[in-house]
Amino acid sequence: MFDKYKNIIILVLILLVGAGLRIWRLGKESLWYDELYAVWSSRFPLTEILVEQASAMHPPVYFYLGHFWFSLFTGDAGVRSFSVIWGMATIVVVFLIGSLMFNNRAALWASALASISPFLIWYSREATYYSWVAFISMLSFYCLLRGIKLGGRPNWIFYYASTTIAVFSHFFTPVLLLAQLITFFLLRRQWYLRGWSLVGGLALAAQSALLVGMSMNYTRRAADAGSLMEASTFSIFISKFFNGIMASPVVLIGGPLRANVYARHILLFLSLSFVLVLLFIASRKVREVIWEKNFMALSISVLLLVTGPVFLFALLPYGAGVFRFYSWATPLFLIILGRLIAASPRKLGLLLGFAAIFLITVYGTLPAVKKPNWDIRSMMTVVSQNQKYNDRLLCFPVHHCVVAESQYPNDVVTLGGLNDQKNRFFLLDRGQAWSGYQNFYGDLSEDNWISGEDLRPVISSLLLDAERVWILAGDGTSDSYHIADGLYQGLNSDWYEVDKWIKSPYRLSLYERR
């Protein structure tokens, strides 16, 4: 009886472990800005979601799905559970691809690695769209492989449908299509090129049209922002590309890099490299596996899915983290590792496989589960519990407070704008509110940034009828939250500081009128 259902039983146990690691302490840490924005903007009316996400340079599919989920589940754990679902579904798709391309043993090892993967757990525990991207991309890949190996109209129809959804789930999906095209040519049994070209061409044409419109909007915003945007130079491109490629093996195994876990990531990478070397030395079958057509096809796909997004990221004129762009590569990379472990002699494979799982769990998985987020929840709680009538909240950047208040509400009127490292401020006018990237901040030209003595009359106008003002800005530890020293100085003649709370990267201050 056990032998008959052995694979199913083991897969269920793997899924239970994966679910536990994704659910444990799910709501303990505060949502951070990307999560808060995703939840806030997904609750827009359906007719406005596309407009807002086009302005924010985000693909729309996740936000349409989230519109319904986030309306039902409102707590921190509830909104993150949406990503947990897609993270669990990704484990299942990893098993299916592994079974189709290799065998059940390789598939079980791959799904076990996926269940504890620090990278996949990291984004399965965030209310952002990268867990969804990993799932829909791998589902598209699986449908493609079924079409190639098994043929049949239903498989190709499912591939076309899942690929089209994937195209509008992330704007780097052309890299996925390129990897799939290479896989098709390497594994094809017959010439299905005409059908594949049709869906690929239509999907790319649709996405290209959307990208053109969004790029025009992004260019306008970049021009408005002026000095806020990082200059796009060849040296910056090379630096970003080189750093992304060099970090990729460590990230695929250990998850996104953070300053306090660099040593753990490096130690994990070196330890697993040692395990793989032992596999190659000890088993002739493992050495032969790398020449298998299926293994080579997935290996080339992983290479493309790492270098392609890193290349595109390096072209972007802003400093967003590159690590999230490995969403496509990680599941396929784990399938490759699973195949290598499965190809070794059974006892050796068990020993080294469980050694790899132990190392990943200790040095990668547990830190990913315990990762601390920027705790804007505690800052908003302080304001909520201590607010008085006619209080004002000056927030920099103000849109971080706007999206936070939708999750952690208070009755304080929010004002503010942007500040930069030069201690300059862009303040929204009295009565003006940030309502999404479709409106952005208006005119961010150099003439509208103020500092020094010019701040005093503007602040006086904003706080005309206030007796107390809360100021939420940076404590100097993050480029996303700049210190607001110039603002504190501008308040000093009319206001005095009553209290302050510092929790990196935030500083919350309370001032009362003299």
Side-chain angles (χ1 to χ4, degrees), residues 26 79 103 127 159 203 261 268 271 291 356 378 420 445 462 473 476 486 500:
L26 189 61
V79 299
N103 52 52
Y159 168 69
V261 293
L268 175 59
S271 300
W291 302 109
S378 66
D420 63 13
S445 62
L462 285 175
K500 66 181 177 182

Side-chain angles (χ1 to χ4, degrees), residues 337-507:
L337 290 184
R339 175 57 179 146
L340 292 175
I341 295 173
S344 62
R346 188 170 294 271
K347 290 183 179 179
L348 179 63
L350 283 172
L351 176 63
L352 296 180
F354 281 115
I357 288 175
F358 174 79
L359 290 169
I360 292 173
T361 301
V362 172
Y363 292 108
T365 305
L366 295 181
V369 170
K370 296 177 180 179
K371 67 165 182 170
N373 270 0
W374 294 356
D375 191 7
I376 197 169
R377 178 172 60 194
S378 66
M379 298 290 100
M380 302 307 281
T381 299
V382 169
V383 175
S384 176
Q385 292 178 347
N386 296 280
Q387 62 190 10
K388 291 184 179 180
Y389 177 72
N390 248 10
D391 278 5
R392 297 292 183 267
L393 172 61
L394 280 175
C395 185
F396 300 91
V398 69
H399 54 286
H400 286 225
C401 285
V402 170
V403 298
E405 286 169 340
S406 68
Q407 191 72 12
Y408 314 120
N410 62 68
D411 296 325
V412 178
V413 176
T414 299
L415 307 167
L418 296 174
N419 62 322
D420 63 13
Q421 292 176 326
K422 299 177 182 178
N423 225 353
R424 302 181 309 167
F425 294 82
F426 178 92
L427 291 162
L428 294 179
D429 294 334
R430 182 179 174 86
Q432 185 180 3
W434 188 83
S435 57
Y437 287 102
Q438 53 192 307
N439 296 319
F440 200 49
Y441 283 96
D443 185 4
L444 283 172
S445 62
E446 289 286 325
D447 294 338
N448 289 316
W449 287 85
I450 56 177
S451 59
E453 290 298 319
D454 294 335
L455 272 172
R456 194 160 297 173
V458 178
I459 294 173
S460 297
S461 174
L462 285 175
L463 304 179
L464 190 62
D465 55 351
E467 294 299 320
R468 304 197 315 169
V469 58
W470 301 85
I471 301 176
L472 182 62
D475 68 345
T477 60
S478 170
D479 289 339
S480 298
Y481 284 88
H482 302 300
I483 299 174
D485 283 349
L487 189 66
Y488 306 136
Q489 295 166 9
L491 286 171
N492 275 345
S493 60
D494 302 318
W495 303 77
Y496 67 97
E497 187 177 61
V498 177
D499 208 344
K500 66 181 177 182
W501 300 261
I502 297 179
K503 193 165 186 178
S504 182
Y506 303 104
R507 167 178 165 159

Side-chain angles (χ1 to χ4, degrees), residues 4-5 28 39 60 75 78 84 161 167 229 240 324 346-347 362 365 418 511:
K4 184 178 180 180
Y5 297 103
K28 181 176 177 59
V39 174
V84 171
V167 161
M229 307 304 296
K240 286 183 177 180
R324 63 187 68 178
R346 188 170 294 271
K347 290 183 179 179
V362 172
T365 305
L418 296 174
Y511 283 78

Side-chain angles (χ1 to χ4, degrees), residues 4 70 83 116 119 204 209 218 244 262 398 476 501:
K4 184 178 180 180
F70 300 144
S83 293
I116 62 157
F119 184 95
L204 280 173
Y218 185 78
Y262 279 155
V398 69
W501 300 261

